């Protein structure tokens, strides 16, 4: 009886905290939207849309406007190697780039779409974080490791993740600078949300759209399958098995984690349904002046063959500018399989934490993708906030923070020195790109190791509790 | 007897072949169509006191551009820079008259060969088209068998030679050789050579390629004189022959059909103080029928065709020429399936083709795509509701 009362009190206090946290979240979210709208009204979008960090050949709004104009002039939107995105995005955002409203800045409608995409991403992140936190609490409770100190005061990890996503300067720059990465990030987060809440058609839709817009989220199918199969992030399953062997059935629910093939099959069916739908829509859209094969060649083929070597914050452009033609294919395979080779070992090691696995995949792909922009760190830094409970002991946090700040300040400076003043050269700018890649590597390695340390600590604690 | 008859037979067959070949080459200039005009304008003298040669060439450049030849089809070779010469009182300005009415060095003069690049070797390379691979396209004479080329040269010359840069000579056999190479390689349909130097007519002595028209400012033993001295600039600013040529052209615009014979007859030996000589024995056409814009301008004949220009291609014409890139073999095969419905066996392709024909009747495909995009939302909501 007493335990039931304390549980009631605990749930009430949690609800109150959530409400208080919810009020704080909505306040900060509204402030973030207002801040974006203020920045949008600055003249010329603060010239952010012409920066190489923001607008890559895949995310630039000017290329989208050019592709739309080509389509309106009865030509293939992919003519002339300007536009390399999805024809569906062209149908949605294209008319908005043309519409001008008196007295408002240009592209105001596109900016509003991107602000809305950011807001929806933040709301979805918050819901995902809430789901993850509930699952974490449940698993800790079943291991009898839950105590007052694990209650995080104030904002939950979902709120923190959503606010980090909204207030991250990278996200704000990507939104105000009119790149299409807010839309891509929205679909990535929708995938994770659908997977975490167990709604297979939503996860399938998010995955199909994210892969359609940019190729790299294709690797997220593995964490999505794992989430739908095993459930959201939990400590390693051997903990539960050893606990069962140790104690005599104290809890009512069995903690045996079975891989549910039914949900995975459901997901695969919906994936095929949505991909057929998207492919049919695309083929109708490109039927008149282009073909589906040209669409694949100009979108996926462009991403995979790295045709455009204009500078960006990635590491591929400098390399492929100087590689001999004879070796170009070889190095393309090397760079792309660098992402592919890491999929399997990470999946094996982190299969009990599939949402964290998704974060690691996104971080790795944003480091090694052909045209990274500033929207990629926006996504994974927001996702990092979802795992604050587990990553509380992460090392080198300050080092990484300073590193990110330093790179984001020095990289435009070096670009200016190289291109506009002519007193620097490409090596200055590429050095900042390499430093940025190094910091990303450190982030990934440290977060994975601290997550594994957290699991080891849980095992030690649970083993010590069993012995008591 | 048999041997001699065999030799006669061989000789007869050789003569027959050569006559056929000669006929073919001779009639080729009539069978090809005149499609484009080129101009090669060469000033071969350097130093400040040869200002007038530069002004000659730039005046002709301006005329030729005004009458329609674009910069892409003009090769302008200037051996020295008079406009920015330190002795030029009017910097960046070149005049061909003491009234300074016209600045020849306006806003868009494109000089292809400048300064020391104007050599006999480069000149012959331009004419024959035998360049090194690194030479850019703007420096090449990219004419074909339908081109009319105007070749204008001015500078100092003499008996069967023309002086380049005060250090080299172009001789008449060099020029004839180059023209013959051009003819062999079908680099021109008709060529008009206009030379304004002393004893200019001797430069044409060795020419014998058909389709070449040549006019010179003076004959053997005569000098070509400058027109007047500009006391402000300090040197003579134009030569007489070019002055009267320009006077003829200033009265024309692009649409005049003044003939070449009128141009050639407009030169007055008393005013020129020399005898302008023109050579028409290599040129088949009658000079009274040839408009000057055939060489000095660029007036094209438009050929009216019956096929209409379509913005949206029709699907069911199998013999339509494919202009767009990106069409694959699959599309070709699909189109052939469309036009040949009876041959379609596979039911899948029949369904696809019937869907395509239905889609064409829909009309605006964009609205269909928009409907499809809007339909995503209810489908998503229904599926989410079904799975919870």
């Amino acid at each position: 009886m007493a335990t039931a009362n304390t549980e009631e009190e605990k749930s009430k206090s949690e609800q109150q905290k959530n409400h208080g946290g919810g009020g704080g979240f909505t306040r900060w979210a509204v402030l973030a939207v207002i801040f974006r709208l203020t920045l949008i009204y600055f003249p010329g979008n603060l010239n952010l849309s012409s920066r190489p960090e923001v607008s890559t050949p895949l995310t630039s709004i000017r290329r989208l406007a050019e592709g739309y104009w080509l389509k309106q002039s009865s030509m293939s939107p992919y003519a002339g190697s300007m536009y390399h995105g999805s024809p569906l995005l062209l149908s949605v955002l294209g008319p908005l780039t043309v519409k001008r409203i008196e007295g408002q800045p240009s592209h105001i409608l596109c900016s509003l779409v991107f602000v809305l995409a950011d807001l929806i991403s933040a709301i979805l992140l918050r819901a995902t974080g809430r789901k993850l936190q509930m699952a974490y609490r449940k698993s800790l409770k079943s291991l009898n490791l839950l105590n007052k100190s694990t209650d995080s005061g104030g904002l939950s990890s979902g709120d923190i993740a959503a606010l980090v996503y909204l207030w991250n300067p990278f996200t704000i720059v990507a939104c105000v600078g009119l790149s299409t990465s807010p839309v891509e990030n929205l679909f990535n987060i929708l995938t994770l949300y659908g997977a975490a809440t167990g709604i297979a058609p939503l996860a399938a839709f998010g995955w199909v759209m994210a892969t359609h817009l940019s190729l790299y989220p294709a690797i997220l199918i593995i964490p999505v399958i794992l989430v739908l199969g095993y459930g959201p992030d939990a400590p390693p399953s051997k903990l539960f098995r050893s606990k069962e062997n140790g104690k005599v059935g104290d809890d009512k629910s069995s903690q045996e984690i079975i891989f549910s093939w039914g949900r995975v099959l459901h997901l695969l069916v919906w994936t095929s349904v949505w991909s057929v739908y998207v492919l049919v829509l695309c083929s109708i859209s490109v039927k008149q002046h282009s073909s589906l094969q040209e669409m694949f060649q100009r979108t996926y083929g462009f991403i995979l063959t790295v045709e455009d070597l204009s500078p960006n914050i990635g590491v591929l452009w400098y390399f492929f500018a100087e590689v001999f033609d004879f070796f170009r294919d070889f190095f393309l395979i090397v760079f792309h399989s660098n992402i592919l080779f890491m999929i399997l070992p990470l999946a094996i090691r982190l299969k009990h934490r599939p949402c964290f696995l998704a974060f690691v995949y996104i971080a790795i792909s944003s480091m090694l993708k052909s045209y990274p922009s500033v929207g990629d760190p926006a996504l994974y830094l927001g996702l990092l906030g979802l795992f604050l409970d587990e990553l509380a002991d992460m090392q080198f946090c300050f080092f990484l923070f300073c590193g990110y700040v330093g790179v984001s300040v020095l990289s435009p400076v070096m670009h200016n020195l190289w291109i506009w003043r002519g007193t620097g050269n490409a090596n200055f700018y590429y050095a900042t790109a390499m430093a940025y890649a190094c910091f990303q590597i450190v982030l990934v390695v440290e977060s994975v190791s601290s997550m594994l340390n957290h699991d080891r600590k849980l095992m030690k604690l649970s083993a010590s509790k069993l012995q008591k | 007897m048999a041997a001699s008859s065999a030799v006669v037979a061989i000789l007869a067959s050789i003569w027959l072949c050569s006559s056929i070949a000669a006929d073919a080459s001779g009639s080729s200039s009539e069978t090809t169509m005149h499609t484009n005009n080129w101009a090669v304008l060469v000033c071969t003298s350097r130093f400040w006191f040869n200002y007038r040669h530069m002004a000659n060439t730039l005046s002709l450049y301006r005329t030729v551009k005004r009458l329609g030849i674009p910069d892409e089809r003009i090769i302008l070779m200037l051996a020295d820079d008079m406009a920015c010469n330190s002795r030029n009182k009017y910097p960046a300005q070149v005049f061909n008259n003491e009234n300074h009415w016209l600045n020849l060095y306006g806003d868009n003069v494109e000089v292809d060969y400048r300064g020391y690049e104007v050599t006999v070797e480069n000149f012959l390379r331009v004419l024959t088209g035998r360049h090194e691979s690194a030479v850019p396209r703007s420096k090449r004479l990219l004419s074909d068998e339908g081109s009319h080329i105007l070749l204008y040269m001015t500078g100092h010359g003499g008996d069967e030679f023309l002086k380049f840069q005060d250090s080299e000579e172009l001789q008449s056999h060099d020029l004839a050789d180059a023209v013959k190479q051009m003819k062999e390689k079908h680099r021109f349909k008709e060529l008009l050579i206009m030379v304004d130097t002393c004893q200019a007519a001797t430069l044409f002595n060795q020419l014998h390629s058909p389709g070449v028209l040549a006019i010179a400012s003076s004959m053997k033993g005569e000098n070509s004189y400058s027109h007047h001295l500009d006391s402000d600039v300090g040197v003579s600013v134009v030569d007489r022959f070019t002055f009267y040529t320009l006077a003829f052209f200033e009265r024309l615009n692009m649409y005049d059909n003044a003939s070449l014979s009128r141009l050639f007859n407009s030169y007055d030996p008393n005013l020129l103080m020399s005898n302008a000589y023109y050579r028409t024995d290599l040129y088949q056409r009658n000079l009274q029928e040839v408009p000057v814009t055939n060489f000095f301008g660029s007036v094209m004949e438009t050929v009216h065709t019956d096929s209409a220009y379509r913005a949206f291609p029709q699907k069911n014409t199998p013999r339509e020429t494919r202009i767009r890139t990106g069409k694959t073999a699959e599309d070709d095969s699909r189109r052939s399936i469309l036009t040949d419905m009876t041959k379609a066996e596979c039911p899948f392709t029949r369904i696809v083709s019937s869907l395509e024909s239905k889609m064409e009747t829909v009309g605006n495909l964009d609205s269909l795509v928009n409907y499809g995009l809007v339909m995503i939302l209810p489908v998503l909501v229904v599926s989410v509701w079904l799975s919870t």
Side-chain angles (χ1 to χ4, degrees):
Chain A
M1 285 291 287
T3 45
N5 279 342
T6 47
E7 275 180 20
E8 265 184 41
E9 282 170 10
K10 256 193 227 170
S11 59
K12 261 195 208 155
S13 61
E14 268 182 26
Q15 273 182 10
Q16 277 173 2
K17 267 188 216 145
N18 282 341
H19 276 285
F25 171 73
T26 33
R27 199 173 39 226
W28 281 105
V30 166
L31 269 176
V33 169
I34 292 175
F35 184 58
R36 279 171 169 75
L37 288 175
T38 326
L39 281 181
I40 285 169
Y41 274 88
F42 271 73
N45 290 101
L46 288 168
N47 280 334
L48 280 174
S49 50
S50 52
R51 296 216 59 87
E53 294 93 4
V54 175
S55 69
T56 63
L58 298 174
T59 59
S60 166
I61 195 81
R62 288 165 87 195
R63 284 177 181 253
L64 195 145
E66 173 87 16
Y68 181 68
W69 182 87
L70 283 170
K71 194 164 160 195
Q72 296 300 100
S73 319
S74 317
M75 278 190 275
S76 156
Y78 299 108
S81 182
M82 269 307 263
Y83 180 61
H84 294 283
S86 147
L88 302 182
L89 202 62
L90 201 61
S91 316
V92 170
L93 284 180
L96 296 181
T97 57
V98 179
K99 218 170 270 217
R100 296 249 183 284
I101 305 179
E102 280 301 313
Q104 307 284 339
S106 58
H107 298 308
I108 180 75
L109 290 169
C110 288
S111 315
L112 289 177
V113 167
F114 294 138
V115 170
L116 189 65
D118 271 348
L119 191 62
I120 299 177
S121 314
I123 295 173
L124 289 174
L125 258 185
R126 184 172 181 231
T128 316
R130 191 164 290 185
K131 246 322 176 181
L132 284 178
Q133 203 171 34
M134 274 184 356
Y136 181 59
R137 293 262 176 95
K138 209 171 75 167
S139 57
L140 280 190
K141 203 156 66 163
S142 69
L143 290 173
N144 282 335
L145 290 173
L146 192 68
N147 51 9
K148 280 234 162 48
S149 63
T150 55
D151 281 354
S152 59
L155 299 168
S156 67
S157 66
D159 289 351
I160 295 179
L163 286 178
V164 162
Y165 182 78
L166 276 181
W167 281 98
N168 194 351
F170 292 140
T171 332
I172 296 180
V173 162
C175 177
V176 171
L178 292 172
S179 81
T180 57
S181 37
V183 178
E184 295 171 18
N185 293 350
L186 168 65
F187 284 116
N188 278 324
I189 293 175
L190 184 69
T191 318
L192 286 178
Y193 171 72
T197 48
I199 306 176
L202 200 62
F205 174 66
W207 181 78
V208 163
M209 285 307 294
T211 311
H212 176 69
L213 287 179
S214 61
L215 178 59
Y216 292 95
I219 54 177
L220 287 181
I221 189 71
I222 293 174
V224 164
I225 287 179
L226 288 174
V227 172
L228 283 175
Y230 284 126
D233 285 13
S237 45
K238 50 182 143 181
L239 274 181
F240 298 108
R241 264 181 265 133
S242 65
K243 180 196 154 307
E244 279 215 350
N245 289 336
K247 272 202 173 162
V248 185
D250 205 355
D251 282 344
K252 300 162 216 156
S253 54
S254 89
Q255 294 299 316
E256 189 66 49
I257 296 176
I258 319 165
F259 191 80
S260 74
W261 284 102
R263 291 165 86 175
V264 172
L265 275 175
H266 202 203
L267 170 80
L268 291 174
V269 162
W270 275 108
T271 316
S272 41
V273 164
W274 285 118
S275 3
V276 164
Y277 191 80
V278 163
L279 276 177
V280 162
L281 274 186
C282 284
S283 63
I284 298 176
S285 175
V286 299
K287 170 165 280 309
Q288 257 182 336
H289 309 291
S290 173
S291 63
L292 211 59
Q293 196 228 12
E294 193 197 1
M295 183 194 98
F296 280 122
Q297 195 186 359
R298 291 301 171 104
T299 53
Y300 290 173
F302 178 76
I303 294 174
L304 288 175
T305 55
V306 191
E307 282 171 10
D308 192 291
L309 295 177
S310 45
N312 49 50
I313 55 175
V315 292
L316 267 77
W317 57 275
Y318 189 92
F319 189 83
F320 281 102
E322 52 185 23
V323 76
F324 290 125
D325 277 339
F326 184 73
F327 296 108
R328 194 187 160 86
D329 290 333
F330 169 67
F331 280 111
L332 278 175
I333 296 176
V334 163
F335 269 92
H336 288 298
S337 37
N338 215 350
I339 304 178
L340 293 175
F341 282 157
M342 293 206 221
I343 294 183
L344 191 61
L346 280 170
I348 293 175
R349 192 68 183 87
L350 288 171
K351 67 177 185 298
H352 55 282
R353 294 193 176 276
C355 291
F356 184 71
L357 184 67
F359 157 73
V360 175
Y361 281 169
I362 291 175
I364 289 174
S365 72
S366 78
M367 188 166 44
L368 292 168
K369 70 194 312 195
S370 1
Y371 306 102
S373 75
V374 96
D376 304 311
L379 178 61
Y380 68 71
L381 288 177
L383 287 178
L384 186 64
L386 286 176
F387 308 105
L388 280 183
D389 293 327
E390 293 95 336
L391 296 179
D393 289 332
M394 192 165 118
Q395 288 179 311
F396 301 127
C397 282
F398 184 65
F399 170 69
L400 282 173
F401 176 73
C402 293
Y404 268 82
V405 167
V407 165
S408 31
V409 165
L410 277 179
S411 175
V413 168
M414 294 302 163
H415 187 255
N416 189 344
L417 273 185
W418 172 31
I419 304 267
W420 296 109
R421 292 176 194 275
T423 51
N425 56 38
N427 299 325
F428 288 50
Y429 187 65
Y430 192 60
T432 58
M434 282 202 292
Y436 176 59
C438 284
F439 286 122
Q440 282 176 307
I441 292 173
V442 170
L443 173 73
V444 167
V445 167
E446 279 309 311
S447 57
V448 169
S449 66
S450 66
M451 181 63 83
L452 296 176
N453 277 339
H454 178 83
D455 283 338
R456 279 189 211 113
K457 257 188 241 165
L458 280 182
M459 283 211 285
K460 265 192 227 154
L461 273 178
S462 140
S464 63
K465 277 226 166 145
L466 276 179
Q467 282 169 2
K468 277 185 193 157
Chain B
M1 276 297 289
S4 58
S5 61
V7 164
V8 164
I10 289 171
L11 282 173
S13 59
I14 289 174
W15 175 83
L16 202 63
C17 290
S18 61
S19 67
I20 290 173
D23 266 342
S25 64
S27 59
S28 66
S29 58
E30 279 98 38
T31 52
T32 58
M33 211 169 74
H34 166 214
T35 48
N36 52 52
N37 285 2
W38 282 81
V40 180
L41 310 172
V42 186
C43 163
T44 59
S45 335
R46 40 179 44 242
F47 308 128
W48 173 247
F49 51 80
N50 291 320
Y51 185 103
R52 60 191 187 281
H53 296 143
M54 193 73 54
N56 287 350
T57 319
L58 283 173
S59 316
L60 225 75
Y61 173 76
R62 181 189 161 268
T63 303
V64 147
K65 256 178 95 160
R66 184 174 63 87
L67 292 176
I69 304 187
D71 273 315
E72 293 99 57
R73 294 205 290 272
I74 302 178
I75 309 262
L76 180 60
M77 304 172 76
L78 299 180
D80 200 359
D81 185 7
M82 300 303 171
C84 300
N85 198 311
S86 44
R87 290 160 105 167
N88 192 356
K89 187 180 164 193
Y90 298 92
Q93 287 166 332
V94 175
F95 305 112
N96 65 351
N97 202 312
E98 63 176 347
N99 56 24
H100 293 187
W101 173 70
L102 188 60
N103 172 21
L104 297 170
Y105 213 75
D107 282 333
N108 53 353
V109 169
E110 279 189 25
V111 183
D112 298 302
Y113 287 84
R114 61 193 68 207
Y116 287 107
E117 291 174 344
V118 179
T119 56
V120 174
E121 181 193 344
N122 280 349
F123 173 69
L124 293 177
R125 280 186 188 278
V126 164
L127 284 188
T128 54
R130 294 163 66 166
H131 296 278
E132 292 180 8
S133 51
V135 170
R137 280 177 73 87
S138 60
K139 282 186 164 174
R140 296 183 189 228
L141 179 64
L142 300 167
S143 53
D144 52 29
E145 64 265 9
S147 307
H148 285 182
I149 303 184
L150 165 71
L151 173 60
Y152 174 82
M153 294 196 283
T154 179
H156 289 291
D159 194 358
E160 303 219 9
F161 72 90
L162 198 152
K163 192 167 75 163
F164 266 69
Q165 301 261 16
D166 213 24
S167 61
E168 299 184 291
E169 292 173 354
L170 173 77
Q171 300 198 333
S172 58
H173 58 256
D174 293 326
L175 183 63
D177 211 357
V179 170
K180 187 168 181 195
Q181 278 193 49
M182 285 172 82
K183 192 67 195 176
E184 287 296 316
K185 289 167 74 167
H186 302 291
R187 278 169 70 75
F188 65 89
K189 183 168 185 285
E190 290 172 18
L191 174 65
L192 170 62
I193 310 183
M194 186 183 254
V195 181
D196 186 358
T197 68
C198 306
Q199 305 189 54
T202 56
L203 204 63
F204 308 140
N205 281 350
Q206 316 268 359
L207 283 176
H208 46 257
S209 307
V212 177
L213 196 54
I215 177 161
S217 60
S218 51
M219 302 193 56
K220 176 166 173 158
E222 292 174 354
N223 290 333
S224 293
Y225 295 97
S226 66
H227 190 259
H228 63 268
L229 167 75
D230 182 351
S231 45
D232 201 9
V233 174
V235 282
S236 307
V237 287
V238 71
D239 277 333
R240 287 181 178 257
F241 178 74
T242 312
F243 182 84
Y244 289 110
T245 312
L246 293 173
F248 180 84
F249 279 107
E250 283 299 313
R251 280 178 259 131
L252 297 182
N253 61 21
M254 261 179 19
Y255 305 105
D256 280 326
N257 52 1
S259 65
L260 272 180
S261 68
R262 232 180 80 191
L263 168 67
F264 291 172
N265 294 332
S266 70
Y267 297 116
D268 183 0
N270 295 326
L271 290 175
L272 282 182
M273 293 164 66
S274 59
N275 284 309
Y277 164 78
Y278 59 93
R279 187 178 167 177
T280 54
D281 56 326
L282 298 169
Y283 193 68
Q284 273 84 24
R285 292 170 64 181
N286 188 349
L287 283 186
Q288 282 174 335
E289 295 162 13
V290 180
V292 286
T293 50
N294 261 19
F295 292 98
F296 288 88
S298 182
V299 182
M300 311 306 277
E301 244 188 84
T302 52
V303 176
H304 183 80
T305 57
D306 283 336
S307 62
Y309 174 72
R310 286 195 213 97
F312 293 92
Q314 300 294 328
K315 293 284 182 179
N316 293 324
T317 51
R319 274 178 310 150
E320 205 171 51
T321 52
R322 304 263 148 68
I323 312 166
R324 298 180 301 283
T325 57
K327 286 288 176 184
T328 63
E330 292 170 50
D331 281 11
D332 289 351
S333 60
R334 273 227 307 267
R335 192 162 286 164
S336 63
I337 287 175
L338 262 181
T339 57
D340 236 331
M341 294 279 280
T342 54
K343 282 201 191 145
E345 290 157 8
C346 175
F348 175 68
T349 50
R350 242 184 279 141
I351 294 172
V352 164
S353 51
S354 64
L355 273 174
E356 282 181 357
S357 55
K358 248 184 239 163
M359 268 194 280
E360 279 152 42
T361 60
V362 165
N364 201 354
L365 291 177
D366 280 335
S367 55
L368 193 65
V369 173
N370 289 341
Y371 284 142
L373 285 172
V374 166
M375 283 294 293
I376 287 182
L377 258 168
V379 174
L380 195 63
V381 166
V382 164
S383 60
V384 165
W385 176 74
L386 278 178
S387 60
T388 48

